[in-house]
Amino acid sequence: MWIMLVWGMGGCPLTWDQWQAPLGPPWDTNGNGLLDTSDLIGCLFNETDNVTFVNQLLDDSFVHGQGLEIADIDGDLDMDVMVAYSLSDQVVAYINGGDSTGGGTGTTWTTTEISLPGAIVATDVAIADFDGINGPDVAAVGLFDRNIGFSSAGEVTWYANPGAAGSWTTNPITGLTFWGALRLEAGDLTGEGRPDLVVAAIEATDGSGTPQPSGIWWFENQGGAPLVWSTRRAVDGALQHCNRAVIVDVDQDGILDIVGAGTYADELAWYENTRTGINGNPIFSKHLIATLDQPLDIMATQMDGDPTPEVVVGYAHINGFGALAWFDAPPDSTQLWTIHIIDLNYGVGEVHFCAGLFNNDSLTDIATTNFDISSGHAYLRDGSSWSPIIPLVPAPFGMNHITCGDVTGDGRPDLLTTTYGNSSVDQVDIWINTPASD
């Protein structure tokens, strides 16, 4: 019966002998010699490489789109979008379908200004329920003080979700005292059940040209009403020009660790959270993943099905082009990791990416943007290779950050991108994940 099912539903000509013998391509796409789950799904549904991404404008009202996140911010079961704008100087939420109770399809959006114009030179946002009230809140980093200019300190701020009615409340964490704050992430580092914040800081100089500390820093969410945050604490204050730090349980011990990219240090490293039990001030132990030229953006995701997450990184390459690769941990994740190349001709400059199962074959795919060449691509994974590479077209000028998530409610991850310097206003685009047969 099972053999007939495979033949009839997917057109997969597997004989009994093939079932009994070690398998090779095309029936064993991951090279393990068995027809496992990923192979079976790809064989049954034949969806590999069979998607495209259709552009739909979400908004073009604000200026200098930066980091963005997707989350159900209003609790109606639809995925909403939060965007940092660094020239409108504010954080904006796009509510999917209004109060749709799960019926939002990404075609109708309500714009909510979480912070007013001119409030924060926002470069990134993070979503978490920081205070335990009214659902997910929003945190943001501001790169500098608009009244002074680039040679000034930035800030970390969080905005309390008002729930069904009212305005978002601004709650400064640092004020304008944090130099080089560029990206941030939320996660419970202490085991106290409250999301903390990790900030990646790039190198900045003050008005006299004196360099200020960069690296990876974190803030403990200490709870209370009103909510109290710790002062800034160092994870690694010596990691030069950290473009991105992500929170992930690298060693699968149930405790969240941190992975960071030091662009000027030429280092990709993870920081083991060595706490036992609940500890409000854990110690982070640094382990080098790899040394490579100018790592920029990074992402932790599952690439090969083993318990340890993998790390995707965009970096410079000796051939003069940008490179895209992922790193796989050895059995002892404190040792150097193994590199797997995705693309060695990616284009120079600033890159960003996200991951998802774009074509339902259970192999993790990657979508990328490259600001310097105003381009975006989806890399579909086919076993150990990456093909096809689908361009996001028409690519708006200044395509900047990207994130993945199902905003259309059809079960397929879509893409969302921002632009920087597109024209007098920038735009947020949805790239709807559309099977080619639709």
Side-chain angles (χ1 to χ4, degrees), residues 1 14 23 42 105 141 149 204-205 223 229 298 306 315 380 398 415 423 429:
M1 286 294 287
L14 293 179
L23 298 175
T105 61
V141 285
T205 56
W229 294 85
I298 57 172
D306 65 13
Y315 62 103
L380 298 190
L415 314 176
S423 63
D429 289 282

Side-chain angles (χ1 to χ4, degrees), residues 88-89 95 149 151 159 179 184 225 241 336 340 379 400 411 423:
S88 294
D89 292 356
I95 307 302
S151 296
Y159 304 90
W179 289 87
L184 83 168
H241 201 86
L336 293 178
H340 299 270
Y379 289 75
N400 196 11
S423 63

Side-chain angles (χ1 to χ4, degrees), residues 43-55:
C43 184
L44 285 175
F45 298 102
N46 194 29
E47 293 192 14
T48 302
D49 306 344
N50 197 29
V51 299
T52 187
F53 293 90
V54 178
N55 178 263

Side-chain angles (χ1 to χ4, degrees), residues 4-18:
M4 293 300 292
L5 176 65
V6 172
W7 188 295
M9 289 185 62
C12 304
L14 293 179
T15 67
W16 177 252
D17 288 340
Q18 287 174 312

Side-chain angles (χ1 to χ4, degrees), residues 324-339:
L324 194 64
W326 64 278
F327 284 85
D328 189 22
D332 180 359
S333 57
T334 65
Q335 302 301 305
L336 293 178
W337 294 26
T338 302
I339 188 171

Side-chain angles (χ1 to χ4, degrees), residues 292-303:
L292 69 168
D293 292 337
Q294 300 174 31
L296 292 163
D297 201 14
I298 57 172
M299 170 181 65
T301 189
Q302 186 54 252
M303 299 293 293

Side-chain angles (χ1 to χ4, degrees), residues 297-299 312-314 324 351-355 366-369 402:
D297 201 14
I298 57 172
M299 170 181 65
V312 181
V313 59
L324 194 64
V351 299
H352 302 285
F353 32 78
C354 62
I366 294 175
T368 72
T369 54
I402 188 169

Side-chain angles (χ1 to χ4, degrees), residues 331-376:
D332 180 359
S333 57
T334 65
Q335 302 301 305
L336 293 178
W337 294 26
T338 302
I339 188 171
H340 299 270
I341 299 298
I342 299 173
D343 191 346
L344 288 179
N345 295 284
Y346 183 66
V348 297
E350 184 177 353
V351 299
H352 302 285
F353 32 78
C354 62
L357 303 178
F358 299 146
N359 59 350
N360 292 324
D361 65 356
S362 80
L363 296 175
T364 302
D365 307 305
I366 294 175
T368 72
T369 54
N370 188 318
F371 171 73
D372 291 69
I373 56 177
S374 294
S375 72

